[in-house]
Each structure stands twice: as C-alpha cells, then as structure tokens.
Amino acid sequence: MAVAGVAVVGALMLASCSSDTSDATSGSTGGSGGGKAKDKPIVALLLPENATARYEARDKPTFEKQLAESCPKCQLRYYNAAGDASKQLSQAESALTEGASVLVIDPVDSKAAGAVVASARRQGAKVMSYDRVIYNAAVDYGVKFDNVQQGAVGMQSLLDKLKKDGKTSGNVVMMNGDPVDSGAKPEKDGAHSVIDKSGFTVAAEYDTKGWSAANAQNQMQQAITKLGASKIAGVYAGNDGMATGVVAALKSAGIKPMPPVTGLDTQLDAIQNMVAGDLYESTYLPVETEARIGAKAAAALATGQKPSGELLNGTIDDGAGKVPAYLLESIAVTMENMKEILLDSGYLTVDQICTANYKKACVEAGLIK
C-alpha cells in the first residue's frame, strides 16, 4: 500500500519530553500571560497515558507545533493522566478553572469523561474527542482512527501470512485491548469481521486490561497451556506492547519456529522485533496527521469557528448521536513494505533501528551492509 496522503514528521520521534507529565505544561504557543483573555484563548490537550510511546513522542509535539501555526495567539496547556481516569477529570477541571476555551480530550475512560463535557458546557467551553470516543456527550468535534478498519487490517495481514505459508485453517489467539477504551471494541469487531469468515478458529481470546504487555504475557501463557505449544498458528495483538508480551511468552515456552504475531503502533522496539524476526506485522497509524488535524480543528473552535472543509470527512456515533469528525485509516507494515512506509517517509531511520543488538539482523534484512 502506498504512503500517499499520509504525512509523517519523523523528527518528532526524537523530541524530548519531561518524564513528569502529571501536571500541565504551560508552554504558550502565543506568548505568556493573559490566560483568560479572549485575545489569547487557551487550548488544553489532555492525553490519557505515557506508557505508550506515541503520546509523548508524537501526538503532543505535533499538536503543539500545528496549533502554533494555525492559531499563533492560542496558548497550549498540556496534561497527561498517566492512565488514571480520576486524575484526568481533575486535570480537565484545572484547565477549565484556568479559563480554557477548548478541551481536546483523549479519554482514559470514555464513559467517565462525559462529566468533563458537562463541566465544559457550563463554562461555555468547546470539547473535542481525540483518538477515542467520549460516550453520550455530544462533543463539538472528533478526530480518530477508524478502529474497525484498524482491527481488520491487522487480522487480514496475519491471515494473509498464514495462507502464504500454506495454512488454510488453525488456531489463532486474539489479544484485544482494554474494554474501558472506546476504541477496543470496534477494533476487536474489525478483527472478527475478517477471521470469523476465514476458516481459522479463534481458539483463545482475551481482553487485556491497560493494553499491558505484562497482562498479555500472562494471558499468552494461559493460551499456550490451554492449546499446546504446537497448536497455535498465529497471534493477533491489539497493540505493540501486548505483542511484546506475547513474544516473550512464546520464547519462554521455547516455541520454535515462532508463529506469526501482529501488533499496532509501529513503535521502534516493535520494528526492531520485526527486523529480528520475532514480530510479523505492526499496523501503522499516521498519528502526526491525526494530531495536525486535531490542532487545526482546535484552532477553529478557539476562534469561534466550526471545523469544516478538509477537517471533515465523516461522523462518529457516540451512542447518543452523530458527532462531526475526521476519520483516518491505518496501514499494515511488514518487512515487505517497511522501507517504503517507515524509512522512505522519514518516520524512522536505519540508525534508530539498527542499534548494536540488531546489527546482525539488519545486515540479514539488507538494511545495512
């Protein structure tokens, strides 16, 4: 699949971020002071956690840069909830107290975040759901990935690999995301839409709390015990962290050759595992595109406009109605297209991938001599 239409800012992967993200960073994109003044509107970006590398390394810096370009007078306040839904609610209230006119929220808990929207409404602030749906809240705008397509892409890649290897049936283990994440169920549904008609069997399936590598490793160990080490054709994992746990469990059980394992997020360590032959696929999310669209829409909302034109291509159903939105598609990345998607675009460099521990694998893969 070509990279057309997917803009990538590879340099942002190198952006350094504070290890303490529990409080707001008040780095203004348009000068300091006058936080509540109408001529310097405050946009609050509230991200859910920092265990997944993308939020600090990709979402935040890209959003910050684009907001500065789209709304030079806007001021950005950044918060990271570190996976704590209660903390995120408190951070949102702090942003509103400071005078935020727009809240951009990637909710830790998609149901609990509705309380934030109610508070924002009382203060006349606009709310955008970012990357995940906020249920039954009628937010002003949303930007996210098409989670159904996302799940289908990963599962289809796994089944294509199995069929390429001459298998038309067998046991597949599914590691789905945390059900409190609004994206987990549609991603799971997308994966099922592919495998349920494939001839392969979902022999063990788990919903993984916190999308945790440790939890996924424990669940994979359970699956190996249940099915037998030689009876697992492949493993679908909802993100790269869980895929790492799956690989660890397979290696610990001494399973050779390793069945194909898929992930999602194209994190650096996942790509290194791919080069080493431990991970078959990782679904690439054009996060920078999502962050730029989110920042442009936030700028529009902060200046009294409605996101329109290039910022709209669909709607999100939040359970109570349709929210105007922009939906993005994902791309399956394997060794066959990694160079095109990740290296030629500048998303990653050979030097980043081919560190000392992976030099031999990189030579064998033809990435270095």
Side-chain angles (χ1 to χ4, degrees):
M1 188 178 294
V3 197
V6 179
V8 179
V9 185
L12 292 173
M13 291 297 294
L14 303 178
S16 61
C17 300
S18 169
S19 60
D20 180 7
T21 56
S22 60
D23 298 317
T25 55
S26 57
S28 300
T29 61
S32 60
K36 295 185 180 182
K38 291 183 179 180
D39 62 341
K40 293 183 179 180
I42 294 173
V43 174
L45 175 62
L46 298 104
L47 297 184
E49 44 102 341
N50 50 17
T52 304
R54 58 164 282 192
Y55 294 113
E56 296 289 317
R58 301 175 65 192
D59 296 80
K60 175 184 178 286
T62 307
F63 187 98
E64 185 173 27
K65 180 181 178 182
Q66 184 62 59
L67 184 66
E69 294 177 7
S70 298
C71 182
K73 66 182 181 179
C74 286
Q75 300 179 84
L76 178 65
R77 299 292 185 266
Y78 173 66
Y79 303 81
N80 191 302
D84 187 332
S86 296
K87 183 175 185 178
Q88 188 171 62
L89 297 181
S90 176
Q91 290 172 338
E93 292 295 345
S94 295
L96 291 171
T97 298
E98 190 175 353
S101 58
V102 180
L103 301 183
V104 180
I105 308 172
D106 188 343
V108 176
D109 186 320
S110 293
K111 293 181 179 178
V116 174
V117 181
S119 293
R121 290 280 181 262
R122 287 192 291 271
Q123 298 191 36
K126 303 293 185 180
V127 180
M128 178 196 309
S129 61
Y130 179 86
D131 201 56
R132 298 171 183 167
V133 178
I134 300 175
Y135 291 134
N136 300 310
V139 298
D140 298 281
Y141 177 82
V143 57
K144 66 187 296 294
F145 291 96
D146 182 337
N147 297 120
V148 174
Q149 185 261 356
Q150 187 173 287
V153 163
M155 183 61 79
Q156 188 63 60
S157 181
L158 175 63
L159 299 189
D160 287 347
K161 168 61 175 172
L162 293 174
K163 291 175 182 178
K164 184 178 179 180
D165 291 344
K167 298 180 180 179
T168 56
S169 64
N171 293 330
V172 170
V173 177
M174 287 183 66
M175 295 287 172
N176 306 306
D178 192 329
V180 303
D181 181 338
S182 65
K185 184 180 185 302
E187 183 180 325
K188 176 179 176 179
D189 291 344
H192 269 287
S193 73
V194 173
I195 194 169
D196 289 351
K197 57 185 179 183
S198 69
F200 289 86
T201 302
V202 179
E205 182 171 11
Y206 306 89
D207 293 333
T208 308
K209 185 176 180 180
W211 302 78
S212 160
N215 290 339
Q217 182 172 350
N218 290 335
Q219 291 164 343
M220 191 65 215
Q221 289 168 346
Q222 294 171 29
I224 293 169
T225 300
K226 174 184 176 182
L227 302 174
S230 64
K231 299 295 184 181
I232 298 171
V235 185
Y236 164 92
N239 76 356
D240 288 340
M242 292 191 297
T244 298
V246 167
V247 168
L250 292 170
K251 284 187 171 183
S252 178
I255 298 178
K256 293 183 179 180
M258 293 267 286
V261 178
T262 67
L264 178 145
D265 282 333
T266 54
Q267 294 181 180
L268 175 58
D269 58 349
I271 300 307
Q272 290 173 321
N273 284 336
M274 189 183 296
V275 172
D278 293 333
L279 183 71
Y280 173 66
E281 182 268 354
S282 180
T283 302
Y284 170 67
L285 307 179
V287 167
E288 286 78 13
T289 302
E290 180 184 34
R292 281 193 289 271
I293 291 170
K296 289 178 180 180
L301 292 170
T303 53
Q305 306 171 62
K306 290 184 178 181
S308 60
E310 66 174 5
L311 301 178
L312 287 176
N313 70 356
T315 59
I316 296 170
D317 187 347
D318 74 350
K322 302 292 186 181
V323 174
Y326 192 98
L327 302 176
L328 299 98
E329 292 194 347
S330 310
I331 303 170
V333 174
T334 66
M335 286 301 296
E336 292 182 359
N337 66 351
M338 185 187 72
K339 182 178 183 298
E340 175 192 2
I341 303 296
L342 303 185
L343 298 180
D344 292 350
S345 66
Y347 171 76
L348 287 176
T349 67
V350 170
D351 287 344
Q352 286 175 295
I353 297 169
C354 299
T355 55
N357 291 338
Y358 294 92
K359 280 189 176 179
K360 182 179 178 181
C362 283
V363 171
E364 293 175 353
L367 293 178
I368 59 176
K369 294 181 180 180

